[in-house]
Amino acid sequence: MKIKELRLHPQAIADGPLRSSYGLHAPYALRTIVEVVTTDGITGISETYGGDRPLAALEAARSRVVGMNPFDLTRFWQYLNGDTDKAIDPAGARSQTMLVPGENPLDEAARTFAAIEIACLDAIGQAVNEPLCDLIGGRARDAAPFSAYLFYKHAGGGGTGSDAREDKYGECLSPETIVEQCRRFIEEYSFREIKLKGGVLDPEVEIETIRALRAAFGPSYPLRIDPNCAWSVDTSVQIGIALREELSGGGYLEDPCASLEGMAEVRKRLLAEGVNTLFASNVATTCFAHVPQAKELDAVQIILSDPHYWGGLRKQKQLSELCEVLGLGLSMHSNNHLGVSMMTMAHAACASPHLTHACDTHYPWQTEIDEVIVGGRVKFVDGAVPIPDKPGLGVTLDYDQLARGVERYNNLPFRKRDDTAEMRKHVDPNWERILPRW
Ligand code: GKR
Ligand code: MG
């Protein structure tokens, strides 16, 4: 089997005006759907980040991918110099502190590799008639658990003009409206764990929001908050103390402040106060080189993997095993995505024997109108995505929908996620991303 064609389909998908410490989401998020067509007539698919940079990196690999045997992934990894993630990263340049995921040149090799690896594995899975998580060594579970990923947001459901989408949640900039948002998420998806994207409002309001979620849903729903480094070390310590009860029992504090050193300091000071809240990270830990550092400093106890930029599905499985050996927890990070990524994440989670927390997903923030897989959106059962009894990823592309996504993309005036620009356009013309803000 050889790859005879690589097809790239840029996609624009509607997204609501969600807030984070990066700023404001634009009315459309960018993705890329990848197809590898083999000489056997099989087409493997994957989904990755969108916009100029990720597309250019895939384009640059085209001549190497076409003609490649889809099993020849190790040499493709070497060709892309994927091992750059073994290098020590003292300056934290590999972190996601300032750059949004998908834009860091230092994880480009791992990102590009992942997009091709997943499509190749999908093709191989179809060739041997095995679901992807079984193909890479067997599943640890039949369904992947996800969490309710709540966002402070302005009114609006994403999209623009005649393509504007229904706003199911309205403006959510208070504890009460976030509780209501969560209630709807749980009603619709039956999620069992809750994540609040923080770093948006005054810490007092965010503390109040977490307390309101605890009061509304009780301790059987573990809580986590992720301010994406918006807090100083001192503020992180104060919030850790204030939320010691609410973030215990399966919950965690995610990237409260910047850098592994900063998180290590917060952890040390909290432990001295008798607060053993666990820390998770997808900002300070983005690659294998960060894992031993995180462990050594006791800065992070739960690594948030992501097959899209950690180097694909087999790397995800290796990370699960590494975390288990090191006594670290494992969960999964997410950005806006379509159903192909949804299934990739589900297979990755099911193939990971050691997965200690429900994974993140932005999927509830996307709409049916943009879905590119045949049969419409992926269905959740009890807060989890079951692995279908189908080969590969278990989903195929709806080419009409794909063409609509390309058209939306072609009509957009931007080619890169820029939450600062959106914030200035719609909320505050003088907004700067200041870290720490509080
Ligand atoms: O979508 O605004 C967002 C998030 O902040 C996202 O960019 C992060 O990558 O979800 C992510 C996170 O957990 O940090
Ligand atoms: Mg995070």
Side-chain angles (χ1 to χ4, degrees):
M1 186 174 7
K2 289 266 191 304
I3 297 169
K4 62 174 188 188
E5 203 184 334
L6 171 68
R7 297 184 190 144
L8 305 174
H9 308 275
Q11 297 286 298
I13 60 177
D15 190 26
L18 310 183
R19 291 279 299 274
S20 77
S21 87
Y22 294 104
L24 176 71
H25 283 206
Y28 293 93
L30 309 179
R31 299 296 284 173
T32 307
I33 299 291
V34 176
E35 290 183 286
V36 295
V37 185
T38 71
T39 44
D40 305 35
I42 295 173
T43 300
I45 62 173
S46 70
E47 177 181 340
T48 185
Y49 289 96
D52 281 347
R53 177 179 275 282
L55 262 177
L58 282 161
E59 276 302 343
R62 180 184 292 281
S63 60
R64 178 63 175 72
V65 171
V66 175
M68 182 174 110
N69 180 333
F71 287 89
D72 200 14
L73 293 167
T74 304
R75 274 197 296 227
F76 183 53
W77 177 255
Q78 289 168 330
Y79 164 83
L80 289 173
N81 202 10
D83 271 347
T84 42
D85 72 356
K86 293 213 182 97
I88 299 292
D89 172 28
R94 185 75 191 256
S95 80
Q96 281 174 176
T97 313
M98 295 315 288
L99 290 169
V100 288
E103 289 295 328
N104 192 333
L106 298 179
D107 56 30
E108 197 142 84
R111 251 184 353 245
T112 304
F113 177 81
I116 300 299
E117 184 234 37
I118 295 160
C120 287
L121 293 177
D122 182 42
I124 296 169
Q126 292 177 56
V128 300
N129 201 24
E130 287 293 341
L132 228 153
C133 58
D134 297 330
L135 179 74
I136 59 171
R139 63 184 80 184
R141 57 193 67 77
D142 293 322
F146 288 90
S147 60
Y149 195 168
L150 314 176
F151 277 81
Y152 293 111
K153 68 180 280 289
H154 299 275
T160 52
S162 59
D163 192 39
R165 308 302 165 80
E166 182 201 354
D167 183 7
K168 283 163 88 174
Y169 308 100
E171 181 185 277
C172 300
L173 291 170
S174 66
E176 301 73 34
T177 47
I178 290 289
V179 168
E180 190 45 34
Q181 188 188 107
C182 190
R183 207 179 293 289
R184 284 159 161 263
F185 266 56
I186 290 176
E187 259 168 38
E188 190 170 345
Y189 300 94
S190 306
F191 292 124
R192 308 267 177 82
E193 296 181 36
I194 300 169
K195 163 164 170 166
L196 174 66
K197 175 59 64 181
V200 173
L201 303 178
D202 190 274
E204 283 310 312
V205 182
E206 299 197 352
I207 290 172
E208 222 188 295
T209 307
I210 288 290
R211 289 189 176 145
L213 287 166
R214 172 49 46 92
F217 301 99
S220 64
Y221 286 83
L223 295 168
R224 50 185 98 153
I225 181 166
D226 174 17
N228 286 113
C229 316
W231 303 334
S232 66
V233 166
D234 286 348
T235 304
S236 303
V237 172
Q238 284 159 20
I239 295 174
I241 292 171
L243 293 177
R244 62 194 301 166
E245 289 305 323
E246 291 81 355
L247 300 181
S248 65
Y252 53 74
L253 186 51
E254 181 174 329
D255 289 305
C257 59
S259 82
L260 288 174
E261 289 74 15
M263 287 174 75
E265 176 64 19
V266 177
R267 169 89 174 145
K268 199 172 82 196
R269 284 165 57 179
L270 283 178
L271 283 175
E273 296 287 334
V275 178
N276 191 8
T277 298
L278 301 180
F279 289 3
S281 177
N282 66 278
V283 172
T285 57
T286 69
C287 62
F288 280 83
H290 288 146
V291 180
Q293 291 177 322
K295 173 71 187 174
E296 213 171 288
L297 294 170
D298 193 25
V300 175
Q301 292 73 48
I302 300 151
I303 303 286
L304 301 177
S305 60
D306 186 329
H308 299 93
Y309 64 83
W310 278 79
L313 282 169
R314 291 161 319 138
K315 291 276 179 192
Q316 159 80 28
K317 202 171 155 71
Q318 287 164 17
L319 180 62
S320 161
E321 277 149 19
L322 178 62
C323 286
E324 189 170 18
V325 171
L326 294 177
L328 295 169
L330 183 76
S331 181
M332 200 181 290
H333 159 267
S334 157
N335 287 117
N336 295 99
H337 62 88
L338 289 161
V340 180
S341 279
M342 187 77 255
M343 290 315 302
T344 302
M345 293 158 75
H347 280 277
C350 287
S352 302
H354 178 72
L355 181 82
T356 53
H357 295 75
C359 306
D360 291 352
T361 176
H362 278 61
Y363 200 56
W365 293 104
Q366 270 53 77
T367 58
E368 181 88 40
I369 297 172
D370 300 314
E371 187 50 85
V372 294
I373 58 178
V374 170
R377 276 166 72 74
V378 173
K379 313 276 178 303
F380 285 70
V381 179
D382 293 334
V385 173
I387 298 299
D389 195 13
K390 290 185 183 158
L393 284 168
V395 289
T396 51
L397 294 174
D398 175 329
Y399 288 94
D400 292 335
Q401 283 291 89
L402 203 60
R404 288 185 195 107
V406 173
E407 196 184 326
R408 274 192 301 274
Y409 181 91
N410 288 337
N411 289 332
L412 277 189
F414 62 91
R415 290 286 175 266
K416 173 178 178 311
R417 174 177 168 186
D418 187 347
D419 291 18
T420 299
E422 287 302 311
M423 194 67 185
R424 289 185 185 154
K425 219 184 297 167
H426 300 286
V427 182
D428 173 359
N430 301 314
W431 196 81
E432 298 283 347
R433 183 155 194 247
I434 299 162
L435 292 182
R437 190 172 296 278
W438 290 281

